[in-house]
Amino acid sequence: MEQDGRRVFIMTCIGGVAAVTAGAVAYPVISYLAPRQGKDNSAAVIIPEKDVPPDGAKFFQYHGKAAVVVRKKDGSVTALSAVCTHLGCIVQWEAQKGAFVCPCHGGQFSTEGKVLGGPPPKPLELLKVTVANGVITVG
Amino acid sequence: MTLVRKLYDWVEVRLGISQVIEKEMTGYLLPRTINNWYSLGSVLLFAFSLQVVSGILLLIYYVPDADKAFKSVSVIMNDIPFGWLIRLCHAVGSNLMVATLFLHMFSVLFMGSYKKPRELQWVSGFTLLNLVMGISLTGYLLPWSQLSFWATTVATNSVGAIPVVGEYLVEFVRGGKLVGPPTLGRFFAVHVAVLPLVIAGLIGAHLFFLKRTGISAPPTSNDLPGPTCQGSVYHYEKHQGGIPFFPNFFLHDMTSISIYFACLLGVVFFSPYLFFTPDSFVPANAFQTPAHIKPEWYFLANYQILKIFPSEIIGLTVQGAGMTFIALLPFVDRGDGRYPLKRPLFMVCALGGIALFIALSIWGHLS
């Protein structure tokens, strides 16, 4: 009985040491492997107005994700997330159709992000955009 | 019945694990007189595993491109969380592994364990020592620092002393006339793919030889004269009445591994740049050779031999002859006795050889 107690005590001690060692090894390794925090990407993105011609679109990184600013025929500008809401592919701008088309499964979105066809369940996320003094500011 | 027990029984029915444990662990008997020197093999297995794991982790951020390699190593050291720890464990670990390999070979040498029937263990072990030195040399170039670049230039230049094909061989090794981006590509492939696989395979062969011959008992002054292995029939050296590998010798192994790990972390934390020189922190510059460029400590003797002899080919021949002699030692030293104090000629040669190696290394360091 006393021997069983000792055995349990020793096994508990060994288990404790093993757990602490595993933690001491795992912590640096997991920290090393964890995705790196990029530079501050919460700031607004500034794009010169001349970079977005009428009926044209410009893709850029916004908060770590792909986004797009598009100028419609009437000259107004919208900014949207370029990530398809179906399976996360990046939509392409098709000027002739005046719509965004996802190359993966053919989802189609209007310049306002609304679903025009295909499997996407939700519209593209609209981003805040302002135009002033020849500069487009997203965010 | 607990879940663990059920799982164990499930595996047991299919694989007969208890039989394997009995045969390889608790029923694997070792001589009662076994000492801690015998655990250096396990330490080396641990050291090699640590190199593999830390090397894989480094591969995640290291970029094998001459324009980006130095920068990527700087990023690992300065920006990635615990990158410095992984990289230093790898760099310091390689040096400690070579040092442990030397100790392992010295213990085998002085206990006469290389003798019949263990010639293959010695030859495979000596080949492993050379491969580990090779993997260290190829890894040395990867940070693409001034030290890496010029140490590799000097090391690869030595090959040029080989008559007739020397110049071609240098160009072949470097992938060009000078050390440059093609050299980095070649050394990277050899360092991360070719040599680790060859070393792992040879470790497997080394352990297979060990298992087939049985472990040697430490020699004592009371050993009866005569060979331990007689005749021309295969014989396994059993140790009836010996201690089991598990748990008895396993604890010795774990103690030695802990001491090794403590030494490694001691250097990493308290003297992290012990094996680095100021040139290790300057990016490679093909137009500026730093003064007093030196190889790693375990190549200093070779480096000094090349400097002593007026002709490089003589220096290489002397080294080649020395290496061949050590590799073929079990076939040269065929006497029966293993107790070192009863082998005066051997002791003089072995101690003299080690003293010469140390003296040449110190001379190389100071010259």
Side-chain angles (χ1 to χ4, degrees):
Chain A
M1 196 65 188
E2 192 187 338
Q3 203 167 359
D4 276 356
R6 275 187 202 167
R7 193 175 285 258
V8 170
F9 174 73
I10 289 170
M11 290 310 286
T12 309
C13 288
I14 291 173
V17 170
V20 169
T21 308
V25 172
Y27 179 69
V29 171
I30 291 169
S31 306
Y32 179 85
L33 293 174
R36 295 179 64 199
Q37 293 298 319
K39 287 172 191 164
D40 180 24
N41 56 14
S42 60
V45 175
I46 293 168
I47 300 164
E49 214 180 342
K50 62 177 170 50
D51 287 1
V52 191
D55 244 2
K58 182 171 176 65
F59 289 78
F60 56 95
Q61 285 273 325
Y62 181 71
H63 290 199
K65 291 180 182 171
V68 61
V69 61
V70 60
R71 189 188 290 280
K72 290 177 272 187
K73 283 198 172 84
D74 62 7
S76 62
V77 166
T78 42
L80 309 127
S81 162
V83 182
C84 179
T85 53
H86 179 218
L87 289 175
C89 300
I90 304 302
V91 296
Q92 306 294 309
W93 170 243
E94 293 209 358
Q96 290 141 332
K97 288 185 183 171
F100 292 101
V101 178
C102 180
C104 291
H105 300 97
Q108 293 188 26
F109 301 89
S110 72
T111 50
E112 300 299 326
K114 286 179 187 154
V115 180
L116 300 175
K122 289 190 297 183
L124 294 175
E125 185 193 349
L126 271 170
L127 305 175
K128 187 183 160 200
V129 62
T130 52
V131 183
N133 305 323
V135 168
I136 300 169
T137 307
V138 181
Chain B
M1 193 183 276
T2 63
L3 187 65
V4 177
R5 183 74 214 176
K6 275 183 183 169
L7 189 66
Y8 178 82
D9 288 346
W10 189 89
V11 175
E12 173 64 25
V13 168
R14 282 150 186 87
L15 301 177
I17 292 291
S18 61
Q19 207 179 351
V20 177
I21 292 173
E22 160 68 22
K23 185 167 178 264
E24 306 295 338
M25 309 278 271
T26 51
Y28 177 39
L29 298 181
L30 303 173
R32 281 199 168 273
T33 50
I34 200 163
N35 55 49
N36 274 330
W37 289 100
Y38 279 74
S39 59
L40 286 175
S42 301
V43 172
L44 284 166
L45 209 52
F46 171 78
F48 179 67
S49 309
L50 199 64
Q51 290 305 104
V52 171
V53 172
S54 58
I56 290 171
L57 289 173
L58 288 175
L59 275 176
I60 293 169
Y61 296 105
Y62 173 75
V63 185
D65 178 308
D67 293 330
K68 297 173 184 163
F70 187 82
K71 171 83 178 153
S72 69
V73 174
S74 299
V75 167
I76 290 170
M77 289 295 282
N78 300 311
D79 298 343
I80 311 289
F82 296 100
W84 58 272
L85 181 62
I86 308 284
R87 198 240 169 166
L88 287 175
C89 277
H90 195 73
V92 174
S94 72
N95 282 277
L96 291 193
M97 190 162 87
V98 174
T100 313
L101 257 168
F102 278 130
L103 287 179
H104 186 42
M105 289 203 80
F106 291 157
S107 75
V108 170
L109 191 70
F110 286 110
M111 287 193 266
S113 304
Y114 56 86
K115 292 191 172 189
K116 188 183 176 184
R118 299 186 177 82
E119 297 95 328
L120 288 172
Q121 268 123 293
W122 175 264
V123 173
S124 59
F126 184 71
T127 312
L128 276 169
L129 172 71
N130 287 287
L131 289 174
V132 167
M133 286 166 91
I135 203 169
S136 303
L137 178 77
T138 49
Y140 211 49
L141 179 67
L142 304 191
W144 206 246
S145 66
Q146 274 288 72
L147 182 71
S148 318
F149 187 93
W150 292 103
T152 306
T153 299
V154 174
T156 50
N157 226 16
S158 317
V159 183
I162 297 171
V164 189
V165 292
E167 218 164 290
Y168 174 74
L169 275 181
V170 174
E171 208 172 316
F172 185 81
V173 169
R174 290 177 175 170
K177 293 213 178 294
L178 298 170
V179 172
T183 323
L184 183 61
R186 280 157 190 258
F187 275 45
F188 177 71
V190 171
H191 184 75
V192 306
V194 180
L195 285 178
L197 284 176
V198 176
I199 289 174
L202 207 53
I203 288 173
H206 194 68
L207 293 176
F208 173 73
F209 299 147
L210 174 79
K211 290 295 291 181
R212 291 301 293 166
T213 56
I215 204 159
S216 67
T220 65
S221 56
N222 299 325
D223 284 349
L224 295 170
T228 52
C229 174
Q230 285 176 313
S232 55
V233 179
Y234 166 70
H235 167 78
Y236 174 79
E237 192 173 343
K238 289 177 191 161
H239 300 285
Q240 299 291 3
I243 56 167
F245 172 75
F246 187 89
N248 296 43
F249 197 67
F250 177 77
L251 283 175
H252 280 278
D253 275 348
M254 293 312 289
T255 308
S256 300
I257 288 171
S258 302
I259 292 169
Y260 173 85
F261 199 45
C263 291
L264 174 71
L265 292 183
V267 176
V268 167
F269 290 129
F270 298 107
S271 186
Y273 301 126
L274 182 66
F275 299 110
F276 294 83
T277 69
D279 293 318
S280 316
F281 306 104
V282 180
N285 182 345
F287 299 104
Q288 196 180 28
T289 310
H292 313 301
I293 198 85
K294 295 271 168 64
E296 285 279 59
W297 62 270
Y298 40 85
F299 283 123
L300 280 172
N302 308 62
Y303 164 81
Q304 190 56 31
I305 290 172
L306 286 177
K307 279 172 73 176
I308 293 170
F309 289 96
S311 153
E312 215 171 349
I313 185 66
I314 297 175
L316 281 179
T317 309
V318 167
Q319 288 183 41
M323 302 281 272
T324 310
F325 177 76
I326 296 170
L328 300 179
L329 186 63
F331 306 100
V332 178
D333 178 16
R334 298 168 68 166
D336 295 331
R338 288 177 52 221
Y339 189 65
L341 296 181
K342 288 185 177 172
R343 300 157 64 203
L345 179 63
F346 160 82
M347 282 295 273
V348 169
C349 292
L351 290 176
I354 293 169
L356 183 66
F357 176 79
I358 294 171
L360 282 168
S361 300
I362 294 172
W363 190 7
H365 178 69
L366 298 176
S367 65

